[in-house]
Amino acid sequence: MDLALDLARKGIRGANPLVGAVILDPAGAVLSSGFHRGAGTAHAEADALANAAASGADVTGATMVVTLEPCNHTGRTGPCSQAIINAGISRVIYAAADSTADAAGGAAALAAAGVSVDGGLMAAESTDLNHRWIRAAQEKRPFVTVKSAQSLDGRTAAEDGTSQWITGTAARTDGHSIRTRADAVVVGTGTVLVDNPQLTARNAAGEDAVQQPLRVAAGHRPVPDDAAIRGTDGRFLQLFEHDPAEICRELYARGVRHLMIEGGATVAGAFLRAGLADELVAYIAPVLLGAGTPAFANLGVHTLSDASRWRWDETDGGAARLVGADLRLRLEPVPAGTQPVDVPAGTQQLEG
C-alpha cells in the first residue's frame, strides 16, 4: 500500500482523485503497478492491468492493492470493478472507501462476483492525499485550482497596470498545461476589459491544444462583442455573478468538474476567502515591482491568527521547481483540525 500511495502521488490533481494500484502474485511479489494520470486517462486499476498485459504477466488469482475503492460506474472510462473481475483478480485490498454517489459500490460489486475484498488499510493516508477532492465531491462542486503569475513581492501587474509578461515563456506554457486539463477557466470581467485574454489552452509553439476549457467571464460588466475571450468555437460563457459558491454551482450543473481560476486579484481572492480553492499554483518571477496589483485581494485577513494556512503539495512534479527562469509553487490548504509545520502553538488557522 505504501508503494500504491507513492504511485498515486505521481498523478495530477483535478476532476478525479489521485489513485495508485499494485498487483501481487500469490507469493506477494509485484507483478505490475499503475496510477491515474488525470481525467480521461485510465484509472489506476486499469493502468496496472494494462501494464501487466504489456509485460506478459498472468494476473489470474492475483491480489490488487489500491488506494481507493474501485469505482463501479461508467464515465469517461469503464468501471474498474468490472475490469478487475474480467481479469481474474481473486482479491482486492483498498485503503479508503469511495463515498461519491457516482462511483461508490465497487467493493460490493466485486464481492458479489466472488472476489475477496478488504478495505481500510492505510485509509487515513489515502483520505489525506485526496481530502480536498473528497470535499469538492461531497459538496457537488468542481475541484478548484487557483493559478497566479506574480513578482517576488506578490504583484501581478505594475503600478501603471502593465502585466504582460511578468513570467517567462516556460511558465506560461506550464500554466497552459493546466488549462488543457481543466473543464473551465474563470476570470473576472475586469480582467477581460483590461487584459483582453484569449484563455485558450496553447502549446509551446502557440498552437491551440486539442482539449479546450470553457472560457468563463464572471461579473456584471458587459463583455465586448470583439473580446478575445469570446472566440469562435462557442465555448464562451458569461456568468453575471460574483459569488464563488454560485459560480461553482452553475458550472457544476454544466458538467464542470475541474475549475481553474486565472484571475484577477478580486476573483482569485474571493475563491480563497470563501474556502473554495482546493489547489494553488503560483509562478514566481525573479522580478521586484515595489507597487502595483496584489496577487490576491480582500482575503479578510486582519491579523496573523486569521491567516489562511497552506502546505506544500508534492504531487505532479513536486511542490517547488524551476520552470525556465521562474519558480512554480504548488500548495493545498491544510486539512481542518491539523497543524502545519512551524506554526506557533495556539495560532488559529482557517482552512482554504
Side-chain angles (χ1 to χ4, degrees):
M1 190 64 79
D2 273 326
L3 174 57
L5 285 165
D6 285 342
L7 288 165
R9 294 184 185 97
K10 293 184 177 181
I12 299 171
R13 295 197 187 276
N16 294 341
L18 301 176
V19 183
V22 178
I23 300 176
L24 306 174
D25 69 13
V30 174
L31 289 173
S32 179
S33 62
F35 65 97
H36 182 51
R37 292 168 173 81
T41 66
H43 288 189
E45 300 94 324
D47 188 45
L49 290 170
N51 290 336
S55 68
D58 182 5
V59 300
T60 304
T63 295
M64 178 177 285
V65 179
V66 60
T67 60
L68 185 67
E69 177 187 1
C71 70
N72 194 43
H73 82 300
T74 299
R76 300 185 194 185
T77 59
C80 290
S81 55
Q82 191 59 52
I84 291 169
I85 294 167
N86 294 344
I89 297 287
S90 65
R91 185 184 185 193
V92 171
I93 301 171
Y94 67 87
D98 192 331
S99 59
T100 59
D102 290 338
L110 290 167
V115 178
S116 174
V117 182
D118 295 288
L121 177 63
M122 301 184 74
E125 289 85 347
S126 175
T127 300
D128 181 69
L129 181 62
N130 288 302
H131 74 104
R132 291 297 292 195
W133 178 85
I134 293 169
R135 174 178 166 179
Q138 291 175 340
E139 294 177 355
K140 294 189 179 301
R141 62 166 177 82
F143 180 90
V144 177
T145 298
V146 173
K147 173 249 180 182
S148 72
Q150 59 197 65
S151 64
L152 279 173
D153 48 351
R155 307 292 178 175
T156 58
E159 191 172 18
D160 65 354
T162 54
S163 61
Q164 299 180 338
W165 299 102
I166 288 177
T167 54
T169 301
R172 296 197 298 276
T173 299
D174 194 76
H176 277 271
S177 70
I178 305 175
R179 286 187 190 175
T180 65
R181 302 193 298 267
D183 298 314
V185 178
V186 171
V187 295
T189 51
T191 295
V192 172
L193 296 173
V194 172
D195 291 342
N196 194 28
Q198 297 180 54
L199 288 194
T200 53
R202 302 183 292 278
N203 61 24
E207 303 163 333
D208 283 351
V210 174
Q211 185 72 26
Q212 291 291 330
L214 178 68
R215 303 180 299 276
V216 182
H220 296 294
R221 286 181 283 185
V223 174
D225 292 340
D226 61 350
I229 192 175
R230 288 187 176 274
T232 58
D233 58 2
R235 295 190 60 75
F236 166 72
L237 172 69
Q238 179 166 8
L239 294 178
F240 295 90
E241 184 61 61
H242 288 140
D243 180 7
E246 186 57 35
I247 291 171
C248 284
R249 278 191 289 269
E250 292 197 32
L251 292 178
Y252 188 88
R254 292 174 178 268
V256 173
R257 297 298 180 266
H258 182 194
L259 175 60
M260 182 180 183
I261 308 301
E262 289 257 14
T266 299
V267 173
F271 273 83
L272 288 163
R273 183 170 184 172
L276 292 175
D278 302 305
E279 175 184 48
L280 176 61
V281 181
Y283 297 91
I284 312 297
V287 174
L288 290 170
L289 295 177
T293 306
F296 311 117
N298 304 319
L299 292 181
V301 175
H302 303 291
T303 184
L304 184 59
S305 62
D306 294 335
S308 172
R309 299 287 177 180
W310 296 68
R311 68 182 184 184
W312 301 112
D313 186 353
E314 296 293 343
T315 64
D316 188 22
R321 70 180 178 90
L322 285 175
V323 181
D326 305 310
L327 180 65
R328 188 191 76 173
L329 305 179
R330 297 179 63 87
L331 304 102
E332 64 168 351
V334 173
T338 63
Q339 189 82 344
V341 176
D342 291 335
V343 172
T347 299
Q348 179 188 5
Q349 55 206 6
L350 303 177
E351 184 181 6

